[in-house]
Amino acid sequence: MHKPDLSSTSTPSSPLLCPNVLRCLGQYLTRPQLLSAFRVCKAWHAALEPRLWHTLKLQNQPCNFTPRQATPTLLLRNRHHIRHLHETGSNSLMKFLAFSVRLPLMQLTSIHVSILSPEILMIIQQNVETLTSFSCRSNRLRKDLEAQSLWCRQLFFALELVPRLTELAIGPAILLDSPRTVFSKICTHLKKLELDRLKVSDRSLYADSTPTEAHELVPFPELEELTLIWNDFPPPCQLELVRKSPKLKSLIWRRGSQLLTQSWLSGTLPVPNDLARLDIGHSHLEDDTMARVLALLPNLVALNARSTPFGARCALELLENQGPKMIELDLIDCDSLSSTVIQRFLTGMPNLKRFGAARLEASDITTPFMQGNAAASSPSSWVCLDLEELELAIIGVHRIENPPPREACFIIYEQLAQLTRLRVLVLRENVSASREEDFMLDWTLCNGLRNLHTLKRLSSLDIQGLHAKIGMEEIEWMAQEWPQLSELKGKLNNKQGVDNKPLERELRRLRPDIIKLE
């Protein structure tokens, strides 16, 4: 990095010494670049230090993953710069943040932790005026279940004092109080609510004989995003969350989706007017039932139906009503979905930005381009040119006879080359035959890979399910043609059948910035 002329430090007109300019530049610097800029001069150090401490990440080991050498003294001296706090596990530095009351105090806007503790509750109370987002998420219920339940009760008491709380995520946890009592004081300004494996200690709320009044909740007037993941929450309370959220725009429902759809279809639960995003992945809804639900959502632009019986009826409903408006569509592992329908999505949804599907036959991509099929009534070229994330499993490349396999690869790569805005590309293959070579998409320059030079924005490439066999020339080409590539997933198999390590060493030499994952 070029160092400014320190002899001009007394000149206030120098833009390289203006604090506001330096703070703006700091937003675009990575952590290593920030550390290098610190050493330029005192003016740069003073202006950029708040940026370095803007987000504090603490892991289970004491004094780990913190800016520079995060000793307690250094941490307390810079705590007023911290705006976002992330803690995974339990870190001893949290005690210094919680029990220190000397000025200047912290001004946190978001807290993300995996374990509730008295220190976290104290930090919340110290930042009630600035806190807008709180998340306590972990993979499982802890052994100290009783203590966690009591701290969860204290957590909601503390959040009642936060006047600007707009985002809340919690789970797994057990509520000792009724849902109405828990949410009554914090629902006013909430815009995003995520409940993961949440239970209620009062089992009477799960009985069919429980009065309706016991399940009623206060309104959530500003709630726009609701996520319910594998909850053991009383089913009527889950429906109440949807009923009392008139501005709901995004809904993720991962357990008991039949209860939701039956309530919508029967009219006992009104469908939110502004609902635009629906995630019912891993559900067991029938194709016909799901199609009837889609007919109730005219404003739908994003759908996640991963690992569901999504089939021909749903596809027809989407293409006829929501097709031109769809922005995100995830249909991975939908066994009832045919390859022809997947191709119709790619040729009939121009506004797609994120798409995922499995088992797309190479013949459905290539056949419309062959001589004699040019006048086909259905469109042949992909029209979703704004795609930013794409996950496909292309199969049967070498199984088809017309066009020849090499020409088929060229056509497929030409379709991918049109997606110049692509940032994430995941290519997989579902190999089920005894001869794996009959299905593989050749990841070589001589078979069309060179066409992908247009993907200049590509930052993440996943070919771990592709069984790609490449050589040194492909490594050199990827390193040169994809300047923004930062993550590569998959094993690099040498097409000459020798050791793969030279390929990986050459990739590290040419592009040390690329993170290689198996």
Side-chain angles (χ1 to χ4, degrees), residues 300-500:
L300 192 69
V301 298
L303 174 66
N304 182 353
R306 179 182 291 245
S307 300
T308 66
F310 187 100
R313 288 289 306 275
C314 290
L316 182 62
E317 182 68 36
L318 273 185
L319 288 169
E320 289 184 351
N321 298 321
Q322 291 97 345
K325 299 181 294 184
M326 292 299 294
I327 297 177
E328 298 180 11
L329 186 58
D330 188 343
L331 302 174
I332 297 294
D333 297 332
C334 292
D335 296 333
S336 302
L337 195 62
S338 67
S339 173
T340 304
V341 172
I342 296 175
Q343 175 69 2
R344 287 190 62 186
F345 284 143
L346 293 170
T347 58
M349 293 184 173
N351 293 318
L352 275 179
K353 292 187 177 181
R354 183 178 177 273
F355 181 74
R359 298 198 321 276
L360 177 58
E361 290 281 352
S363 58
D364 288 323
I365 304 176
T366 60
T367 301
F369 291 92
M370 300 308 299
Q371 187 176 4
N373 293 317
S377 58
S378 59
S380 55
S381 182
W382 294 353
V383 298
C384 45
L385 303 184
D386 291 332
L387 264 178
E388 298 179 359
E389 299 182 23
L390 175 64
E391 180 175 355
L392 278 180
I394 302 176
I395 63 175
V397 176
H398 290 252
R399 184 176 55 191
I400 57 179
E401 297 180 357
N402 186 26
R406 184 172 182 178
E407 186 175 346
C409 287
F410 265 92
I411 295 175
I412 293 173
Y413 283 126
E414 285 176 354
Q415 293 294 288
L416 291 172
Q418 298 180 86
L419 311 178
T420 56
R421 297 178 180 270
L422 211 59
R423 296 184 296 102
V424 178
L425 176 60
V426 181
L427 292 177
R428 307 188 186 280
E429 288 176 339
N430 293 340
V431 180
S432 57
S434 57
R435 292 188 60 202
E436 184 179 273
E437 305 83 28
D438 292 342
F439 292 84
M440 292 174 58
L441 176 65
D442 289 328
W443 193 258
T444 56
L445 295 176
C446 62
N447 282 298
L449 178 63
R450 198 182 305 273
N451 292 335
L452 301 188
H453 69 90
T454 57
L455 307 185
K456 300 300 183 183
R457 300 185 182 184
L458 191 65
S459 61
S460 178
L461 175 64
D462 186 347
I463 54 174
Q464 60 182 350
L466 197 60
H467 305 284
K469 295 183 178 180
I470 63 178
M472 201 66 72
E473 58 272 22
E474 282 79 23
I475 292 292
E476 296 174 352
W477 182 87
M478 289 190 293
Q480 179 180 356
E481 296 295 336
W482 294 334
Q484 297 189 22
L485 187 64
S486 59
E487 184 179 79
L488 175 60
K489 297 180 181 179
K491 187 176 181 180
L492 301 179
N493 299 307
N494 198 315
K495 61 183 178 183
Q496 297 178 354
V498 296
D499 189 10
N500 300 326

Side-chain angles (χ1 to χ4, degrees), residues 27 44 76 107 143-144 193-194 237 275 360 369 371 375 393 417 424 434-435 442 448 453 464 470 516:
Q27 299 177 8
W44 283 38
L76 294 178
Q107 300 180 30
K143 294 181 180 179
D144 53 342
L193 177 62
E194 182 173 340
C237 292
L275 191 63
L360 177 58
F369 291 92
Q371 187 176 4
V424 178
S434 57
R435 292 188 60 202
D442 289 328
H453 69 90
Q464 60 182 350
I470 63 178
K516 174 66 172 63

Side-chain angles (χ1 to χ4, degrees), residues 117-346:
S117 64
E119 290 81 11
I120 296 299
L121 299 178
M122 293 180 66
I123 291 176
I124 293 175
Q125 293 173 356
Q126 295 172 8
N127 294 271
V128 293
E129 296 298 329
T130 58
L131 193 63
T132 60
S133 174
F134 180 82
S135 171
C136 180
R137 296 285 308 279
S138 61
N139 296 327
R140 55 182 173 81
L141 281 171
R142 291 176 54 81
K143 294 181 180 179
D144 53 342
L145 186 59
E146 183 176 353
Q148 287 292 311
S149 299
L150 291 173
W151 287 337
C152 184
R153 170 185 281 177
Q154 295 299 321
L155 168 66
F156 283 98
F157 288 155
L159 292 179
E160 291 178 6
L161 305 176
V162 182
R164 298 182 180 87
L165 187 67
T166 58
E167 299 182 6
L168 174 63
I170 188 169
I174 297 179
L175 300 181
L176 300 180
D177 301 308
S178 67
R180 181 181 179 87
T181 302
V182 168
F183 294 112
S184 61
K185 300 292 183 63
I186 64 171
C187 63
T188 306
H189 300 289
L190 273 184
K191 292 185 177 181
K192 183 177 181 180
L193 177 62
E194 182 173 340
L195 305 179
D196 180 7
R197 291 163 290 176
L198 198 66
K199 300 181 180 181
V200 179
S201 61
D202 185 2
R203 306 308 294 180
S204 65
L205 292 175
Y206 296 85
D208 295 336
S209 58
T210 303
T212 306
E213 295 78 12
H215 298 127
E216 289 186 355
L217 300 177
V218 293
F220 290 74
E222 303 296 331
L223 193 65
E224 297 179 356
E225 300 180 37
L226 175 61
T227 301
L228 300 174
I229 303 178
W230 312 117
N231 276 293
D232 192 15
F233 213 45
C237 292
Q238 297 184 44
L239 297 178
E240 270 290 289
L241 285 172
V242 178
R243 189 191 312 274
K244 294 300 178 66
S245 305
K247 294 185 178 181
L248 198 62
K249 297 180 180 179
S250 175
L251 177 60
I252 300 177
W253 194 292
R254 288 293 176 85
R255 185 176 183 178
S257 53
Q258 292 184 354
L259 171 67
L260 174 69
T261 55
Q262 289 174 2
S263 300
W264 277 348
L265 294 176
S266 64
T268 57
L269 178 68
V271 179
N273 296 327
D274 299 328
L275 191 63
R277 297 176 179 272
L278 179 63
D279 184 340
I280 50 175
H282 306 277
S283 67
H284 300 284
L285 297 176
E286 296 296 332
D287 183 33
D288 181 67
T289 302
M290 200 180 307
R292 293 168 59 195
V293 171
L294 294 178
L296 300 176
L297 305 173
N299 298 319
L300 192 69
V301 298
L303 174 66
N304 182 353
R306 179 182 291 245
S307 300
T308 66
F310 187 100
R313 288 289 306 275
C314 290
L316 182 62
E317 182 68 36
L318 273 185
L319 288 169
E320 289 184 351
N321 298 321
Q322 291 97 345
K325 299 181 294 184
M326 292 299 294
I327 297 177
E328 298 180 11
L329 186 58
D330 188 343
L331 302 174
I332 297 294
D333 297 332
C334 292
D335 296 333
S336 302
L337 195 62
S338 67
S339 173
T340 304
V341 172
I342 296 175
Q343 175 69 2
R344 287 190 62 186
F345 284 143
L346 293 170

